[in-house]
Structures are given as structure tokens and as C-alpha cells.
Amino acid sequence: MAISNLKNANYKPADNTFLYTPCHCPAEKLLRQQQVRCEKPRMPHRVSRRTQYLAKPRNARCRYETRTVNRSTKQTEVYRSYKEPYASKRIQQLALPHVRKLVAAQQEYRRFIARRHQDQLEKRIKKSIFTVYSRLANVQLPVIDKLKGMSPDEWQKHQDWLERNAQPKQAPEPEQPKRERKPLAALINRIESLSEPRFARKKFAGQEKPGPAAKPAALKALVTDHVAKLAEPLQRRKRTKGVPAEDTRLPENVLKAVASSRVAELAVAKSYRNVNNEYRDKPFSVEPNALKAKPSDRILELAKPKKVKK
């Protein structure tokens, strides 16, 4: 009966009622797990306007209260030494570099600094070592060992070393290859094998074949002028003589040629005797009217030579 009631869709569990009797059988547990409840989503709780009005504080106050601060009447004077025309001795001594840095720089760059700059560096070291701060730090300059001179025996030994090592380096002599020598009796077999020809040939006892020769018709042929001209060697230009000059002379065939009657007729100059033109016969003559003409004043004015400005 309980199983049938659980399967119904309209079944509502009565857990809180006094009529409900719990059953711990496995069938009820399975049905409870498979049961799906359709519940409406809950809406958020809405606060009323009266509650919101009552929640506001009556007298709103800020977290920190601003209070007036009484200014002190005492005045402090700021002394800026960098604006003074002369710096104090304390500032001058503080401005000097540390002695240790100067000495380290002098030892490191002694070879690369000029003599004038070395003197300036030594003056800086002396100034820095006599300051109050260097005395409090108990700064002491490193002891420099003086260079010792060489004795006559050491100097002579040094000269001998220079003479020995200052010579130019000589290349070693090339080693000559060592050749093994053998007596002639041991090399006879090798000489005989080398003297034999590589390929043995049979001796030819018959008549030899004639070699290549010109045909008898070629020996009787005559050379034409064109072939003889082509057979002549080309005249190559030599650098010593320069560019060859072009031959502009007329060929001999042209000089020996005889003109035909037509060419001789065309070579005769034409004459204009039958033409009625007064300038043909006398091209340099002047007309008689031109000799009687008188020039005008304008022409005479233009005919005068111009004055040259000096």
C-alpha cells in the first residue's frame, strides 16, 4: 500500500504529520531517491519603505572630525650653503674624492697617463689625505719600493742575454729524404722487366700499304684568280705601326678603261647660246641704266662709314 502511494504523482509526503509512520525498507529508500519535487524559485525578501526609513541614522557624522591646529610662533631658518659665494671648509673637504680611489686609479693607469696628469693626480691625493675625514679613517699611502740599480755583473749578464735572443729567428734546415741504396746485382731483374715493351707486336713481313697521296687530276689543276686572292694571308695590324692608312688610289683597271661614245657625249659641257637671256653670256656685266642713276640723300647718308668710338 505504501509503494502504490509513493508512485502516484499527487502524493505529498506527510513527514510532519502524526499519521506518518516511517518505513526503513529498501524499496522506500529507492523511491525517495527517484522522486522529483517541482518547487517554485524563491524570490528575494523585499524590504518595505518604512523599514528603510527607520534604518537611516538621524544624526549622520563623519568618521574623523577636522580640528583646527594652532601654528607655532617659532621660526626656523634654513641655511643653504650652496648659495653662498664661498663654500665652508667642511664642504670643500667632503667634495674631495676618496684617497683609496685616487691611489687605485694611479696604480692602474700609471702607464697610460701623461706626466702632467700624473702630477695633478698626486696633488689631489695630497689634498685628500690631509682632510679631517681621511685622518679619522686612518688612511695611509702604500709604500712604494724604490727601483734598485743593476750591478756590473748583472748588467753584463743582461747584455749577453740580449745578444743571444735579439738575433733574427732562423728557419730550420729541411730534412733530406733518406733513400735506400741497393747493389746493382739486386736490381738487374727489375731493370729487365722495365725494359720489355708493354704490348708485344708481331713483325710485318709483307708489302706495306701506300699512304695517302694526291690524285693525278689534282696535280694538273690550275688555280683561279679568286682562289689565289683568298689564299693570300691577311694583313694584320701591328701595334708598332699603328692604324693602317686606307688606300684611296684608283685601281689600274679603271685607269686603263676606254669610255664609250655615250659616256663621251654626256661628258661634254652644255652651252646656253640659243637662250634669250642677257645674263648668260655676260654674267658680270652692269646695265647701262644703272650707270646713269644718281643716289638719293638717304643712300649717301647710309654709305658714309660709321664713327668708331675710342
Side-chain angles (χ1 to χ4, degrees):
M1 187 68 181
I3 295 172
S4 62
N5 290 335
L6 288 171
K7 287 183 179 180
N8 293 333
N10 299 326
Y11 171 74
K12 294 182 181 180
D15 296 344
N16 299 328
T17 60
F18 67 97
L19 298 174
Y20 175 72
T21 54
C23 180
H24 300 286
C25 62
E28 185 181 2
K29 291 181 179 180
L30 181 63
L31 291 173
R32 280 182 175 277
Q33 292 176 1
Q34 293 178 356
Q35 187 179 5
V36 179
R37 295 182 180 181
C38 296
E39 297 180 355
K40 294 182 180 180
R42 293 183 178 181
M43 298 297 292
H45 182 68
R46 186 175 180 182
V47 182
S48 63
R49 292 182 181 178
R50 178 171 175 73
T51 307
Q52 293 178 6
Y53 175 74
L54 293 173
K56 290 182 180 180
R58 291 183 179 180
N59 299 323
R61 295 181 180 180
C62 58
R63 189 171 183 180
Y64 300 103
E65 295 181 0
T66 56
R67 296 180 181 179
T68 57
V69 179
N70 296 326
R71 294 184 178 180
S72 60
T73 57
K74 295 182 180 180
Q75 295 181 358
T76 56
E77 184 180 359
V78 180
Y79 182 76
R80 293 179 174 83
S81 58
Y82 58 87
K83 289 186 177 181
E84 296 296 328
Y86 301 101
S88 62
K89 188 178 289 185
R90 172 178 166 276
I91 294 173
Q92 290 178 4
Q93 291 182 358
L94 281 173
L96 292 172
H98 296 286
V99 182
R100 293 185 180 87
K101 292 183 179 180
L102 292 173
V103 173
Q106 186 185 23
Q107 293 178 356
E108 187 71 21
Y109 304 105
R110 185 185 295 275
R111 298 181 180 179
F112 310 105
I113 299 175
R115 185 62 187 173
R116 180 169 57 85
H117 297 295
Q118 287 183 7
D119 297 341
Q120 293 178 1
L121 194 60
E122 289 177 359
K123 290 179 181 179
R124 282 289 185 91
I125 291 170
K126 289 179 181 178
K127 284 184 179 180
S128 299
I129 202 170
F130 291 118
T131 59
V132 177
Y133 304 99
S134 298
R135 290 175 183 176
L136 292 173
N138 195 14
V139 177
Q140 294 180 2
L141 293 176
V143 180
I144 300 173
D145 297 335
K146 294 183 179 180
L147 297 175
K148 296 181 180 180
M150 298 175 69
S151 62
D153 297 338
E154 292 177 353
W155 178 251
Q156 186 62 32
K157 187 177 180 180
H158 181 64
Q159 290 292 333
D160 297 341
W161 183 87
L162 289 175
E163 290 179 0
R164 185 173 62 256
N165 294 323
Q167 298 295 332
K169 191 174 182 180
Q170 296 180 358
E173 296 180 358
E175 297 181 359
Q176 296 181 357
K178 296 181 180 180
R179 297 180 180 179
E180 297 181 0
R181 297 180 178 274
K182 293 183 179 181
L184 185 60
L187 299 174
I188 287 176
N189 297 332
R190 178 61 177 166
I191 292 169
E192 289 178 355
S193 63
L194 292 174
S195 62
E196 294 179 358
R198 291 185 178 181
F199 307 101
R201 295 181 180 181
K202 296 180 180 180
K203 293 183 179 180
F204 184 75
Q207 187 178 1
E208 295 182 0
K209 294 181 180 181
K215 294 181 179 181
L219 297 174
K220 298 178 182 179
L222 298 175
V223 181
T224 59
D225 297 339
H226 182 65
V227 175
K229 186 177 181 180
L230 293 174
E232 292 178 359
L234 296 174
Q235 294 181 358
R236 300 186 181 277
R237 183 174 62 185
K238 296 182 180 180
R239 294 182 180 179
T240 55
K241 294 183 178 180
V243 181
E246 187 179 357
D247 190 7
T248 56
R249 294 177 297 177
L250 294 173
E252 296 180 359
N253 298 333
V254 176
L255 297 174
K256 294 178 181 179
V258 179
S260 61
S261 59
R262 176 61 179 165
V263 174
E265 184 180 354
L266 293 172
V268 177
K270 293 182 179 181
S271 60
Y272 301 94
R273 294 177 181 178
N274 299 327
V275 180
N276 296 325
N277 193 346
E278 56 185 349
Y279 298 105
R280 291 292 183 182
D281 298 333
K282 298 178 181 180
F284 299 102
S285 61
V286 183
E287 293 183 1
N289 295 331
L291 296 173
K292 298 177 182 179
K294 293 182 179 180
S296 61
D297 298 337
R298 176 62 178 166
I299 293 173
L300 292 173
E301 185 180 355
L302 293 172
K304 291 180 181 180
K306 294 182 179 180
K307 294 181 180 180
V308 181
K309 294 181 180 180
K310 293 182 180 180

